[in-house]
Amino acid sequence: MVYNMDKEEFIMKLQHALAGGISGSQTAEHVRYYREYIDSEIHKGRTEEEILEQLGDPRLLARSIVDANRRSGAAYSAAQEYDDEVGANAREGSTRGENTRVRRVALPGWLVMLIIVVITMLVIGVVSSLLYLFAPVIMAVLIVLLIVKVIQGSGRK
């Protein structure tokens, strides 16, 4: 199916279709990706028309991206608020001449649980090692305290 559009029209339609379904930073990331993809394919010798025909309708492509994003569990409203805040901070930093770069990393749930288990095991290991190391000292102190208590108790009779 031929859509008879150029690269800029394709990108504009894709960006417009993505705008309401995913965060601003995600939209910009996808638009940048497809712009670079089209450019790289043109450099390989393909025509713009061939590439756009292969990609298909930008609205269907956008719908697929939004659906995949929803299936992955990304929450649009929270991400949008965060992106708006980070974007505003980054813009303020760039106007003041600062080099501000914010990067979000989302870890899968199983990895978070693994990290928590490993940290817990490390804490238990350190505490056990300390108890093992100081056990003779603790035992000696307890025995001395017991002897003192017994002596004090027998002196009162």
Short mmCIF file of all heavy atoms in Angstrom, two decimals, residues 1 3-8 10-11 38 46-58:
data_model
loop_
_atom_site.label_atom_id
_atom_site.label_comp_id
_atom_site.label_asym_id
_atom_site.label_seq_id
_atom_site.Cartn_x
_atom_site.Cartn_y
_atom_site.Cartn_z
N MET A 1 0.85 -1.19 0.00
CA MET A 1 0.00 0.00 0.00
C MET A 1 0.88 1.23 0.00
O MET A 1 1.76 1.37 0.83
CB MET A 1 -0.91 -0.01 1.23
CG MET A 1 -1.77 1.23 1.33
SD MET A 1 -2.81 1.24 2.78
CE MET A 1 -4.21 0.40 2.14
N TYR A 3 1.49 5.23 0.50
CA TYR A 3 0.89 6.33 1.25
C TYR A 3 1.23 7.69 0.66
O TYR A 3 0.69 8.69 1.10
CB TYR A 3 1.36 6.27 2.71
CG TYR A 3 0.83 5.05 3.41
CD1 TYR A 3 1.62 3.93 3.58
CD2 TYR A 3 -0.48 5.01 3.86
CE1 TYR A 3 1.13 2.80 4.20
CE2 TYR A 3 -0.98 3.88 4.47
CZ TYR A 3 -0.18 2.79 4.65
OH TYR A 3 -0.67 1.68 5.25
N ASN A 4 2.15 7.74 -0.31
CA ASN A 4 2.51 8.97 -0.99
C ASN A 4 2.80 10.11 -0.02
O ASN A 4 2.15 11.15 -0.04
CB ASN A 4 1.41 9.40 -1.97
CG ASN A 4 1.26 8.41 -3.11
OD1 ASN A 4 2.23 7.78 -3.52
ND2 ASN A 4 0.04 8.25 -3.59
N MET A 5 3.76 9.91 0.82
CA MET A 5 4.18 10.98 1.73
C MET A 5 5.69 10.96 1.79
O MET A 5 6.33 9.96 1.49
CB MET A 5 3.56 10.82 3.12
CG MET A 5 4.03 9.63 3.91
SD MET A 5 3.29 9.53 5.55
CE MET A 5 1.77 8.72 5.16
N ASP A 6 6.26 12.09 2.21
CA ASP A 6 7.71 12.14 2.36
C ASP A 6 8.08 11.86 3.82
O ASP A 6 7.22 11.66 4.67
CB ASP A 6 8.26 13.48 1.89
CG ASP A 6 7.77 14.66 2.71
OD1 ASP A 6 6.98 14.46 3.66
OD2 ASP A 6 8.19 15.79 2.42
N LYS A 7 9.37 11.84 4.06
CA LYS A 7 9.88 11.50 5.39
C LYS A 7 9.34 12.45 6.45
O LYS A 7 8.90 12.01 7.52
CB LYS A 7 11.41 11.53 5.36
CG LYS A 7 12.05 11.33 6.71
CD LYS A 7 13.56 11.39 6.57
CE LYS A 7 14.12 12.35 7.57
NZ LYS A 7 15.56 12.52 7.51
N GLU A 8 9.37 13.72 6.21
CA GLU A 8 8.94 14.71 7.22
C GLU A 8 7.45 14.57 7.53
O GLU A 8 7.04 14.69 8.68
CB GLU A 8 9.27 16.13 6.77
CG GLU A 8 10.76 16.43 6.77
CD GLU A 8 11.43 16.10 8.10
OE1 GLU A 8 10.88 16.46 9.19
OE2 GLU A 8 12.50 15.47 8.08
N PHE A 10 5.74 11.76 7.25
CA PHE A 10 5.65 10.51 7.99
C PHE A 10 6.00 10.75 9.46
O PHE A 10 5.27 10.33 10.37
CB PHE A 10 6.61 9.47 7.38
CG PHE A 10 6.62 8.16 8.11
CD1 PHE A 10 5.74 7.15 7.79
CD2 PHE A 10 7.54 7.93 9.15
CE1 PHE A 10 5.75 5.93 8.47
CE2 PHE A 10 7.56 6.73 9.82
CZ PHE A 10 6.66 5.73 9.47
N ILE A 11 7.11 11.44 9.70
CA ILE A 11 7.57 11.71 11.06
C ILE A 11 6.55 12.57 11.80
O ILE A 11 6.24 12.32 12.97
CB ILE A 11 8.96 12.40 11.04
CG1 ILE A 11 10.02 11.46 10.47
CG2 ILE A 11 9.34 12.93 12.41
CD1 ILE A 11 10.30 10.23 11.31
N ILE A 38 15.30 5.83 8.90
CA ILE A 38 15.04 6.23 7.51
C ILE A 38 16.32 6.76 6.87
O ILE A 38 16.68 6.39 5.75
CB ILE A 38 13.88 7.25 7.43
CG1 ILE A 38 12.57 6.59 7.86
CG2 ILE A 38 13.77 7.84 6.03
CD1 ILE A 38 11.42 7.56 8.10
N ARG A 46 18.60 2.65 -0.45
CA ARG A 46 17.16 2.49 -0.65
C ARG A 46 16.52 3.85 -0.86
O ARG A 46 17.02 4.86 -0.39
CB ARG A 46 16.53 1.79 0.56
CG ARG A 46 17.02 0.36 0.72
CD ARG A 46 16.38 -0.34 1.86
NE ARG A 46 14.95 -0.44 1.68
CZ ARG A 46 14.09 -0.74 2.65
NH1 ARG A 46 14.52 -0.96 3.87
NH2 ARG A 46 12.80 -0.81 2.42
N THR A 47 15.38 3.86 -1.53
CA THR A 47 14.68 5.13 -1.73
C THR A 47 13.78 5.41 -0.54
O THR A 47 13.34 4.49 0.17
CB THR A 47 13.81 5.10 -3.02
OG1 THR A 47 12.74 4.16 -2.81
CG2 THR A 47 14.63 4.73 -4.24
N GLU A 48 13.51 6.68 -0.34
CA GLU A 48 12.63 7.10 0.75
C GLU A 48 11.26 6.46 0.59
O GLU A 48 10.65 6.01 1.57
CB GLU A 48 12.52 8.63 0.74
CG GLU A 48 11.81 9.21 1.93
CD GLU A 48 11.85 10.72 1.94
OE1 GLU A 48 12.90 11.29 2.27
OE2 GLU A 48 10.79 11.32 1.61
N GLU A 49 10.78 6.37 -0.63
CA GLU A 49 9.47 5.78 -0.90
C GLU A 49 9.43 4.31 -0.49
O GLU A 49 8.46 3.85 0.12
CB GLU A 49 9.13 5.93 -2.39
CG GLU A 49 7.74 5.46 -2.75
CD GLU A 49 7.44 5.69 -4.23
OE1 GLU A 49 7.40 6.86 -4.65
OE2 GLU A 49 7.26 4.68 -4.93
N GLU A 50 10.49 3.55 -0.81
CA GLU A 50 10.56 2.13 -0.43
C GLU A 50 10.51 1.97 1.10
O GLU A 50 9.80 1.11 1.62
CB GLU A 50 11.87 1.51 -0.91
CG GLU A 50 11.97 1.24 -2.38
CD GLU A 50 13.37 0.72 -2.73
OE1 GLU A 50 14.36 1.08 -2.07
OE2 GLU A 50 13.44 -0.06 -3.69
N ILE A 51 11.27 2.79 1.77
CA ILE A 51 11.37 2.68 3.23
C ILE A 51 10.03 2.99 3.88
O ILE A 51 9.55 2.26 4.75
CB ILE A 51 12.46 3.63 3.77
CG1 ILE A 51 13.81 3.29 3.15
CG2 ILE A 51 12.53 3.59 5.29
CD1 ILE A 51 14.83 4.38 3.27
N LEU A 52 9.40 4.07 3.44
CA LEU A 52 8.12 4.47 4.02
C LEU A 52 7.03 3.46 3.70
O LEU A 52 6.15 3.21 4.52
CB LEU A 52 7.73 5.87 3.54
CG LEU A 52 8.66 7.00 3.98
CD1 LEU A 52 8.19 8.33 3.42
CD2 LEU A 52 8.80 7.05 5.48
N GLU A 53 7.11 2.86 2.52
CA GLU A 53 6.13 1.82 2.17
C GLU A 53 6.32 0.60 3.08
O GLU A 53 5.36 0.00 3.53
CB GLU A 53 6.28 1.42 0.71
CG GLU A 53 5.19 0.48 0.25
CD GLU A 53 5.22 0.24 -1.26
OE1 GLU A 53 5.58 1.17 -2.00
OE2 GLU A 53 4.87 -0.87 -1.66
N GLN A 54 7.57 0.27 3.37
CA GLN A 54 7.86 -0.86 4.26
C GLN A 54 7.36 -0.56 5.67
O GLN A 54 6.79 -1.44 6.32
CB GLN A 54 9.36 -1.12 4.30
CG GLN A 54 9.72 -2.20 5.30
CD GLN A 54 11.18 -2.14 5.73
OE1 GLN A 54 11.94 -1.30 5.26
NE2 GLN A 54 11.55 -3.02 6.62
N LEU A 55 7.54 0.65 6.15
CA LEU A 55 7.11 1.01 7.50
C LEU A 55 5.58 1.06 7.62
O LEU A 55 5.04 0.80 8.68
CB LEU A 55 7.70 2.36 7.92
CG LEU A 55 9.21 2.36 8.17
CD1 LEU A 55 9.71 3.78 8.41
CD2 LEU A 55 9.56 1.46 9.34
N GLY A 56 4.92 1.42 6.54
CA GLY A 56 3.46 1.44 6.55
C GLY A 56 2.88 2.73 7.10
O GLY A 56 3.56 3.75 7.19
N ASP A 57 1.64 2.67 7.49
CA ASP A 57 0.92 3.83 8.00
C ASP A 57 1.50 4.25 9.35
O ASP A 57 1.55 3.44 10.28
CB ASP A 57 -0.56 3.48 8.15
CG ASP A 57 -1.43 4.69 8.50
OD1 ASP A 57 -0.88 5.72 8.96
OD2 ASP A 57 -2.65 4.58 8.33
N PRO A 58 1.93 5.50 9.49
CA PRO A 58 2.52 5.93 10.76
C PRO A 58 1.54 5.86 11.93
O PRO A 58 1.96 5.66 13.08
CB PRO A 58 2.97 7.37 10.49
CG PRO A 58 2.27 7.79 9.25
CD PRO A 58 1.94 6.55 8.49
#
